[in-house]
């Protein structure tokens, strides 16, 4: 005769999370989910935090300057999806090029501008002082402006509502001679623009 089967009862299943003793009963109202802006801001902040130690040489937030922020923005360009034509491209200044070209994809100015706004806020929400906020420096503002102007020219998209009616003549010409442009005529290119908006770093001190 063997000993009675059964023995010990199976251990209880791991119960749910331990409950704090003094928590109030949950209220029936649903907790407000963070807004898209808030969660995007958190993601951006995390991305930047991860970028710092991977920087060569590694950076800390305290040592981060406006020039480093600009470096970060340029680093992000590799993940961009916005075609920015170089001055030598026949589609420079074309809002809707008729065929693909080899020009690089970059982050659109609007994305960078919004990103900097979120990071600037996150920096101060995480204990940073306004006067030492690298995202609010003049260098970053200048860089963003150069990107905006460079992309506006390269993509033929005006970001400002300025009355520059004189240049609309060129637009009309481009439309009417679109077929000629496809066949390789480069005469429609605005020849006096040789700045591409991405050559700022050298001047940042
Ligand atoms: Zn191009």
């Amino acid at each position: 005769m063997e000993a009675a089967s059964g023995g010990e009862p199976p251990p209880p299943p791991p119960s749910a999370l331990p409950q704090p003793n003094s928590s109030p009963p949950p209220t029936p109202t649903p907790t407000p989910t963070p807004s898209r802006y808030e969660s995007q801001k958190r993601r951006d902040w995390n991305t930047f935090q991860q970028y710092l130690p991977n920087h060569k040489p590694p950076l800390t937030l305290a040592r981060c300057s406006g020039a480093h922020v600009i470096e970060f923005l340029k680093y992000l360009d590799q993940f961009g999806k916005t075609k920015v034509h170089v001055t030598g491209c026949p589609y420079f200044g074309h809002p809707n090029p008729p065929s693909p070209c080899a020009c690089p994809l970059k982050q659109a100015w609007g994305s960078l501008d919004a990103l900097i706004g979120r990071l600037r806020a996150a920096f101060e929400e995480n204990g940073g002082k306004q006067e030492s906020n690298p995202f609010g420096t003049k260098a970053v503002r200048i860089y963003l402006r150069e990107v905006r102007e460079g992309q506006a020219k390269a993509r033929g998209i005006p970001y400002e509502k300025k009355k520059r009616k004189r240049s609309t003549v060129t637009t009309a010409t481009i439309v009417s001679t679109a077929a000629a442009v496809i066949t390789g005529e480069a005469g429609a290119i605005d020849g006096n623009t040789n700045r591409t908006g991405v050559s700022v770093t050298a001047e940042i001190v």
Side-chain angles (χ1 to χ4, degrees):
M1 307 309 170
E2 305 292 325
S5 63
E8 299 118 58
S15 62
L17 300 167
Q19 291 171 355
N21 294 331
S22 58
S23 69
T27 45
T29 50
T31 50
T33 49
S35 70
R36 277 186 63 191
Y37 171 82
E38 288 298 326
S39 46
Q40 186 64 55
K41 187 171 66 182
R42 207 164 304 157
R43 270 203 299 276
D44 293 337
W45 186 244
N46 288 338
T47 303
F48 189 72
Q49 303 272 70
Q50 286 162 17
Y51 168 82
L52 291 175
N54 290 315
H55 183 273
K56 291 185 180 94
L59 273 175
T60 59
L61 193 58
R63 287 178 42 235
C64 189
S65 69
H68 292 128
V69 171
I70 293 171
E71 234 180 293
F72 174 64
L73 295 182
K74 291 183 175 182
Y75 154 83
L76 292 178
D77 268 338
Q78 66 186 298
F79 310 110
K81 297 185 178 68
T82 299
K83 180 72 85 175
V84 180
H85 302 289
V86 299
T87 45
C89 175
Y91 304 139
F92 184 88
H94 260 249
N96 295 301
S99 62
C101 61
C103 293
L105 296 172
K106 296 186 177 185
Q107 294 286 349
W109 163 77
S111 310
L112 295 181
D113 191 54
L115 171 72
I116 286 298
R118 290 190 298 266
L119 289 176
R120 195 173 53 220
F123 178 85
E124 289 172 28
E125 284 164 18
N126 286 276
K129 288 185 182 151
Q130 189 183 355
E131 59 267 25
S132 59
N133 191 333
F135 305 99
T137 54
K138 194 178 174 188
V140 172
R141 271 204 310 279
I142 292 172
Y143 176 74
L144 284 175
R145 195 172 62 218
E146 300 238 350
V147 169
R148 183 185 64 191
E149 290 170 0
Q151 293 193 358
K153 278 180 192 155
R155 308 183 60 223
I157 297 167
Y159 288 118
E160 293 167 295
K161 294 174 187 168
K162 279 186 182 171
K163 292 179 191 169
R164 286 187 179 166
K165 287 294 176 188
R166 270 180 234 163
S167 58
T168 42
V169 179
T170 338
T171 319
T173 317
I174 289 169
V175 172
S176 62
T177 59
V181 174
I182 296 169
T183 56
E185 187 205 78
I189 301 172
D190 181 10
N192 61 8
T193 17
N194 48 15
R195 299 185 335 172
T196 46
V198 272
S199 52
V200 221
T201 17
E203 303 175 63
I204 314 292
V205 189

